[in-house]
């Protein structure tokens, strides 16, 4: 269904009313069942194939939970993890592996048409947390409705954040959360509106720049390269964090909290700091369920560096079946290792320089992340240092689609750089929705209403979020 649709704006208040209505009359089990059914209805429009995949995964992992609860078996846990990972490997990575093997063998390969079920990357990792925690005895007492509500909860089912059972199930059974809370509903709507504005009013403006830059190839100027790459750096954060703000806002309306996924990542002073702020739920999963089981930093310096590189390569590969993603993850892992080697010596560098350097490194990483192949990424980066071709092209300004009035058209070369500066300043000075205290005032209500209507007017032309592809 998606957050950016009129159907969702009708769907949400109906679900809220039925959910809290059942709670009011003491039908708490019914409330959870209704939430599960509503979540399934929300997911069905993403495709019946994707729906059946998630349904099958739900059934299989519940059976593993029951078996692991009855008998603690490493063999059974290994089987559960393999059963979860195999569909992801097939649907997302079969063509990549087959093409790689054929390339090594010197043979041609024609890619098979394989559909990619929506959300499979997210729920695969979430299901792994469930079965591992079941093996550890941490999911005891969870009912089937607790489990299904945890798996299907519609605000985060499509794009996360990846959530552990202990972050969700206790909340849905907490009697203090059973009655509707006007403050939570108001705050949730504000968060939803902020996220929608990030996506539709800001991220969508930057969306055309990087594809334009890649289309130029070796004809791209130095300024085109820098402006297009920074545009994507802004876009991917505003797009994904916008979705997470919207998801957190909807959850808040149900008196539920989902994990914070972003904490102002472009304020980071190092790559390690960046990964404490970016896609936090993915980082937490990789640390708890891969890094620590590999030994973490407990088995010597070289093993620590190996483990660090492993989780970043896995992180890159999780994002997509392309060598560009693997190289992106490897770059971040290598920089993390260097930072660990340097230790406290980095703190002697002025904070402003560390912030700018980290932002530049992240920016170069996003070029790899977004490139169709490694060759295109290398050409793009090379052109960013081509001092024989400096000025941005006129067509670059048109990618922002700011309007056709003569005044705007004739001043885009001033307005767009100011837009970049204002965006960067806003990211540095503003707080995320979890940190900011929105007070229930008339002015806040009016401004939120205006922002909501303004953003929603653009919803018909923009529908897909970047991370829905992963």
């Amino acid at each position: 269904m998606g957050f950016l649709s009129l159907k969702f704006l009708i769907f949400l208040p109906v679900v809220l009313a039925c959910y809290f209505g059942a709670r009011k009359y003491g039908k708490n089990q019914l409330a959870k069942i209704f939430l599960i059914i509503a979540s399934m209805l929300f997911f069905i429009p993403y495709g019946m194939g994707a729906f059946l995949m998630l349904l099958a995964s739900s059934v299989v992992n519940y059976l593993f939970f029951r078996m692991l609860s009855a008998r603690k078996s490493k063999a059974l846990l290994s089987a559960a993890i393999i059963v979860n990972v195999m569909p992801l490997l097939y649907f997302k990575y079969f063509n990549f592996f087959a093409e790689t093997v054929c390339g090594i063998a010197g043979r041609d390969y024609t890619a098979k048409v394989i559909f990619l079920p929506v959300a499979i990357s997210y729920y695969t990792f979430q299901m792994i947390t469930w079965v591992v925690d079941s093996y550890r005895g941490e999911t005891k007492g969870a009912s089937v409705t607790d489990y299904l509500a945890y798996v299907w909860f519609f605000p985060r089912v499509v794009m996360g954040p990846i959530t552990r059972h202990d972050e969700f199930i206790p909340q849905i059974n907490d009697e203090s959360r059973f009655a509707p809370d006007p403050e939570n509903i108001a705050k949730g709507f504000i968060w939803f509106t902020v996220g929608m504005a990030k996506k539709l009013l800001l991220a969508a403006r930057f969306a055309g720049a990087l594809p334009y830059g890649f289309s130029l190839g070796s004809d791209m100027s130095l300024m085109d390269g820098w402006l297009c790459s920074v545009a994507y750096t802004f876009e991917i954060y505003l797009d994904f964090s916008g979705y997470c703000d919207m998801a957190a806002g909807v959850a808040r309306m149900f008196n539920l909290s989902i994990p914070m996924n972003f904490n102002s990542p472009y304020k980071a002073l190092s790559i390690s700091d960046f990964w404490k702020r970016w896609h936090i739920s993915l980082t937490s999963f990789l640390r708890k369920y891969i890094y620590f089981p590999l030994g973490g930093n407990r088995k010597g310096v070289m093993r620590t560096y190996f483990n660090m590189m492993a989780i970043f390569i896995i992180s890159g590969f999780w994002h997509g079946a392309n060598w560009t993603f693997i190289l992106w993850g490897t770059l971040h892992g290598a920089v993390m290792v260097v930072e660990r080697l340097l230790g406290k010596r980095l703190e002697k560098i002025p904070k402003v320089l560390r912030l700018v350097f980290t932002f530049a490194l992240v920016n170069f990483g996003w070029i790899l992340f977004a490139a169709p192949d490694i060759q295109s990424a290398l050409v793009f980066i090379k052109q960013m240092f081509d001092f024989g071709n400096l000025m941005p092209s006129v067509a670059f300004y048109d990618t922002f689609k700011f309007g056709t009035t003569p005044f705007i058209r004739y001043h885009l070369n001033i307005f767009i750089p100011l837009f970049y500066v204002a965006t960067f300043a806003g990211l540095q000075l503003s707080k995320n929705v979890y940190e900011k205290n929105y007070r229930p005032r008339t002015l806040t209500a009016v401004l939120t209403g205006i922002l909501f209507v303004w953003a929603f007017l653009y919803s018909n032309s923009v529908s897909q979020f970047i991370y829905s592809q992963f």
Side-chain angles (χ1 to χ4, degrees), residues 190-208:
I190 293 172
W191 289 14
F192 184 89
T193 301
V194 169
M196 189 164 66
K198 279 184 178 181
K199 165 64 176 173
L200 298 174
L201 301 183
L202 294 175
R205 291 295 180 188
F206 290 108

Side-chain angles (χ1 to χ4, degrees), residues 75-212:
L76 189 58
L77 173 62
S78 299
I81 293 173
I82 291 170
V83 167
N84 276 289
V85 170
M86 288 305 293
L88 179 64
L89 292 177
Y90 175 74
F91 287 105
K92 194 169 183 177
Y93 301 106
F94 179 87
N95 281 323
F96 175 80
F97 288 131
E99 184 178 358
T100 300
V101 171
C102 288
I104 294 171
R107 297 169 55 188
D108 293 331
Y109 174 73
T110 302
K112 293 177 64 176
V113 178
I114 303 174
F115 93 103
L116 180 62
V118 170
I120 190 171
S121 295
Y122 299 96
Y123 68 70
T124 296
F125 276 14
Q126 185 155 297
M127 293 300 193
I128 289 173
T129 73
W130 173 259
V131 294
V132 171
D133 290 350
S134 296
Y135 170 79
R136 294 171 177 170
E138 298 173 5
T139 60
K140 288 181 179 177
S143 68
V144 65
T145 51
D146 290 336
Y147 166 73
L148 290 174
Y150 160 68
V151 170
W152 286 86
F153 186 50
F154 71 89
R156 55 141 177 80
V157 68
V158 177
M159 286 170 50
I162 300 164
T163 309
R164 299 192 310 272
H165 69 93
D166 57 340
E167 295 172 319
F168 182 84
I169 292 177
Q171 294 186 65
I172 206 166
N173 291 315
D174 182 356
E175 292 184 6
S176 67
R177 300 171 187 264
F178 283 5
D181 185 334
E183 185 174 338
N184 275 343
I185 291 173
K187 184 178 288 187
F189 181 70
I190 293 172
W191 289 14
F192 184 89
T193 301
V194 169
M196 189 164 66
K198 279 184 178 181
K199 165 64 176 173
L200 298 174
L201 301 183
L202 294 175
R205 291 295 180 188
F206 290 108
L210 191 68
Y212 170 74

